[in-house]
């Protein structure tokens, strides 16, 4: 079953690496952002415009009929009759999943709280391909807020599924990335994932993924001042990625060196989102859907057994809770 | 004179029943929503996009120059030079009327407080045609907040003008729909409109129109718990409409049965709005304008005698106050 | 050097007077409004739509990643990879300048606090051409808040550079327009600019530019009731402009007389913005850029020496502070 998943992730990543496309999508997309966003919101809206896909922003819920007492399921069922597809960033983990069950239209998950951020992860994988790297002969080093950053979870799982080895080093001393370790174990990928204590453990990695501390998801800020990365820390690394915004995790000098590559990655991410939206609109990902997931498909799409709010599946949180087939619709 | 009105309402409803149209409108539309809205706002914006009409949202007035001291008449006069047409939902009754006098461009009324909601009413009439019903041989039953719901007022007047009989039953015991009864009397349509006390008086109607209690327009909530409709209450009804959102006026079981039809109606409403916008943009409704109104035309368009804010005509509120010819421009 | 500037301003004004254009621009534009705006925001968005340029509104910064700690320079660098051009109204003077240095894409300054409003000034100059006036044989009279209104600064400098004479009369008794007088002196244009005390000093001007008191930029309001202009005050004037909104600076009677001309000017301004955006998108203003500025070019574009936040150049504030070459990119 996992081989199916690997093949499909690989297919999507390859499709997204293909050359930029202009136009070609006719339709409308409802776009919702519950959380602040610069890169994801703006690059998605620009991607839609360049595709010819008309984006309508679903504004704050206080301005929607939710404030008149409408329940969210009713709202999304109705909106599913109005738009051809959806893209959303939510504060609640698993909310895009729930939305995808309320409407028959495809839903692009643009980040669900500390949950997932699949399009960002695919962009990272496309970056590796663009740099001529082979996943089966590649080590990804991850440095930063490895517990709270949703892009890390999605990116690590994607690289593991594609065959890479991964080294995790937390910027916050002593923090264990339980969620990542559990998910990898469930999928039988844990032999290629290691959790290490020191920054120096990153020496020799091929791709480095850095994030800032996710202050907005931590009640108490833990300053990692003595752990700031500098130029020498990325020596020999062939590709450095950082989802931005930045905090204190990199020096100004390192930032200046990374900037051109990171700005190029912004353009790449817009291109990847265009491909994902195009695939969703044209039904390609749906066609591939049954196996497209970070976990294994345990039942056919559309036959999900979760029905109540309490059962929102938290990706790979526990074997009995997640609903992998449904996740296949969250692209 | 009323025969003219009937013919024109009938023409609009027939035109709006015609097949869906794509593109064909070049121009820009200024869209303003002063009140929360899911279906109306989003379906209008999607309708514009599908027509090729560029919608620009006129955001909250605090962000407009109103906050710098500009008066609203000046603002709309200026905006009339910028956009080709307007669509607005306002909190004040009659405001779309006033806007239509400030600008020479057509204004689509998308709901003015507890006043009117013409495009929703046309959608309901189109639904009846889609179900093969003949207005002259049809009884509309209305159940819900018949006093406060603007869609009820517009829908009842439309069905009466098209030749149907109407039975009104208020969800709030003892409430008299004075405004509806007065308007129907003024138009000589009162013989086909009855106001009845019991839910059981709805037995035998062909079309049922249900609304929730409009809590946001009632200081004190009156719970109609023992009056919730269930499956048996719609037995024999050929078409059930509900403008959504729903409250406690229908059981979960009835809701489940109604959902497919109501979602189909959402698609119908988007289609109707496309036709209305197209007609407005192409000048069709203007061409028909002199007689297109829920009331009779008492003077030629453009010769309205109301000039001050105090005189905002409240639709059919009193013979001496309303300005029917102007309403003809509010489509 | 100044002759170059005069020629280029003249070129832009002539280009913007050319007939209206439809479509022809492919791309996306990021639009940001930090301050309330009716005419500028809506006419810019409508202009984009009519050009076929997809506008994406960069909403309040609290919804952007700025709220997650991202610095503005990083944000604009990233956005420069997403959009093809930018248009912005900022609260801080000089902010569009800074933005234009953070991104390689063209930036249209739509008003920077009390700083500049170039597209409005070009519209005023185009209006003079539309009325068959010759700048070298023309006197512009300015009445209103000559110290705080950014459109006055830009308009006066434009008319001076094009060869006109200018008479300034402040609505607020005793206020000296230091900034204008200094800028004109620096550019050697001061012999054609006079600052006069009385409303009657405006008799005989060819073009009259009127503004309201900019209450939002004055802690303490100074009512100019006895100085309100009336019909007789504009006798003999061939063109009256007013950027709107209006306050107490004109009587209702004068307003009624001016309205048709001012509404025509709203259409003209939309047309001018279309031409400016088209020129920016097609690189015309860049081609002309070296000399296109209200001040003289003291260094080649791209070689600006200002690097810190403290050094935001305030237009022509002092010889040593402004950075004229960079302003050339703010069109």
């Amino acid at each position: 079953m996992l081989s199916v998943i690997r093949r499909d992730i690989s297919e999507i990543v390859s499709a997204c690496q293909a050359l930029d496309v202009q136009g070609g999508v006719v339709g409308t997309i409802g776009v919702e952002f519950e959380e602040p966003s610069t890169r994801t919101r703006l690059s998605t809206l620009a991607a839609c415009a360049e595709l010819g896909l008309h984006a309508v922003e679903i504004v704050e819920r206080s301005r929607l009929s939710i404030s008149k007492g409408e329940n969210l399921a009713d709202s999304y069922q109705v909106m599913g009759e109005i738009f051809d597809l959806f893209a959303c960033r939510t504060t609640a983990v698993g909310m895009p999943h729930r939305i995808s069950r309320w409407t028959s239209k495809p839903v692009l998950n643009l980040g669900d709280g500390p949950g997932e951020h699949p399009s960002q992860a695919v962009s990272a994988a496309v970056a590796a391909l663009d740099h001529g790297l082979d996943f089966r002969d590649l080590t990804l080093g991850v440095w930063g807020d490895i517990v709270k950053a949703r892009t890390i979870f999605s990116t690590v799982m994607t690289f593991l599924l594609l065959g890479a080895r991964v080294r995790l080093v937390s910027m916050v001393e002593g923090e264990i990335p339980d969620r990542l370790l559990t998910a990898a174990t469930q999928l039988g990928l844990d032999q290629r994932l290691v959790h290490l204590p020191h920054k120096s453990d990153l020496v020799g990695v091929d791709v480095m993924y850095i994030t800032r501390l996710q202050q907005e998801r931590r009640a108490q800020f833990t300053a990692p001042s003595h752990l700031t990365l500098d130029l020498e820390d990325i020596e020999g690394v062939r590709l450095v990625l950082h989802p931005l915004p930045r905090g204190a995790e990199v020096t100004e000098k390192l930032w200046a060196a990374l900037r051109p590559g990171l700005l190029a990655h912004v353009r790449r991410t817009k291109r990847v989102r265009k491909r994902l939206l195009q695939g969703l609109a044209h039904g390609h990902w749906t066609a591939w859907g049954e196996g497209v997931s970070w976990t294994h498909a345990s039942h056919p799409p559309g036959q999900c057994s979760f029905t109540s709010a309490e059962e929102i599946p938290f990706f790979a949180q526990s074997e009995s809770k997640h609903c992998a087939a449904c996740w296949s619709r969250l692209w």
Side-chain angles (χ1 to χ4, degrees), chain A:
Chain A
M1 188 118 45
L2 287 174
S3 63
V4 176
I5 295 170
R6 286 192 186 105
R7 193 199 66 211
D8 290 346
I9 284 257
S10 177
E11 268 182 48
I12 288 181
V13 170
S14 301
C16 288
Q17 200 209 357
L19 288 181
D20 201 0
V21 283
Q22 292 288 337
V25 178
V26 172
T28 58
I29 179 168
V31 178
E32 174 160 33
F33 273 81
E34 286 194 314
E35 285 189 350
S37 170
T38 299
R39 285 157 303 285
T40 303
R41 173 176 170 269
L42 297 177
S43 77
T44 300
L45 292 175
C48 292
E50 292 179 13
L51 283 169
L53 187 58
H54 291 279
V56 173
E57 288 198 77
I58 303 168
V59 289
E60 320 85 87
R61 286 188 181 151
S62 63
R63 286 198 56 207
L64 295 186
S65 296
I66 307 289
S67 62
K68 293 193 232 170
E70 184 162 10
N71 72 56
L72 202 55
D74 281 6
S75 276
Y76 265 97
Q77 280 180 25
V78 164
M79 291 194 285
E81 305 301 320
I82 293 173
F83 297 111
D84 300 309
L85 61 164
F86 291 92
C88 59
R89 165 163 297 182
T90 67
T91 48
V93 172
M95 184 54 80
H97 180 168
R98 297 184 73 196
I99 291 172
S100 77
R101 283 168 48 210
W102 291 328
T103 167
S104 59
K105 304 297 172 61
V107 177
L108 179 63
N109 178 2
L110 293 174
D112 55 328
E116 289 266 7
H117 201 341
S119 64
Q120 202 70 28
V122 171
S123 301
V126 167
L129 291 186
D130 283 349
H131 283 73
L133 300 172
D134 178 353
F135 293 106
R136 294 180 188 277
D137 189 28
L138 175 162
T139 300
L140 170 71
V142 179
W143 162 261
D145 195 338
I146 59 174
V147 170
K148 297 285 185 191
R150 62 188 158 212
T151 60
I152 287 185
F153 183 85
S154 295
T155 301
V156 167
M157 294 307 290
T158 298
F159 274 71
L160 285 175
L161 284 166
L162 291 167
R165 289 177 302 279
V166 179
R167 295 185 210 164
L168 302 168
V169 179
S170 177
M171 174 194 275
V172 183
E173 217 173 320
E175 277 203 350
I176 309 295
D178 283 332
R179 182 175 163 229
L180 262 172
L181 299 175
T182 305
T185 304
Q186 286 178 348
L187 295 171
L189 304 167
D190 49 317
Q191 286 179 317
R192 285 187 276 107
L193 177 68
V194 292
H195 178 217
L196 301 162
H198 305 114
K199 204 172 69 170
S200 55
D201 292 320
L202 294 168
V203 173
V205 300
D206 306 290
V207 180
M208 178 88 91
Y209 193 92
I210 307 171
T211 68
R212 68 182 170 92
L213 204 76
Q214 308 288 302
Q215 289 173 243
E216 69 275 29
R217 297 198 189 93
R218 291 174 176 278
Q220 199 186 335
F221 177 75
T222 311
S225 62
H226 66 292
L227 291 172
T228 302
L229 293 195
D230 207 341
L231 266 177
E232 64 267 19
D233 296 309
I234 60 156
E235 222 181 280
V237 176
R238 295 183 56 188
L239 168 66
V240 178
L241 294 169
H242 188 303
L244 295 96
R246 62 170 156 143
E249 70 285 350
V250 287
T251 62
E252 279 295 329
K253 208 159 120 196
L254 177 54
W255 189 253
L258 296 179
R259 189 184 293 122
L262 296 180
L263 292 180
H265 190 60
V266 171
R267 293 193 296 275
R268 179 183 293 118
T269 303
K270 182 169 81 166
R271 177 161 58 85
V272 164
R273 295 215 166 97
K274 283 168 74 173
R275 295 292 314 210
L276 286 170
L277 288 166
Q278 203 176 36
L280 275 170
H282 291 167
H284 294 166
W285 311 140
T286 301
W288 295 348
E290 285 181 48
V292 178
S293 168
W294 272 274
T295 66
H296 58 285
S298 56
H299 63 73
Q303 298 184 16
C304 172
S305 59
F306 293 106
T307 52
S308 75
E310 287 65 51
E311 290 177 299
I312 302 175
F314 187 95
F315 179 88
Q317 193 171 41
S318 78
E319 187 66 34
S320 61
K321 275 271 187 172
H322 74 256
C323 170
C326 292
W327 279 93
S328 64
R329 297 170 58 206
L330 297 191
W331 277 85

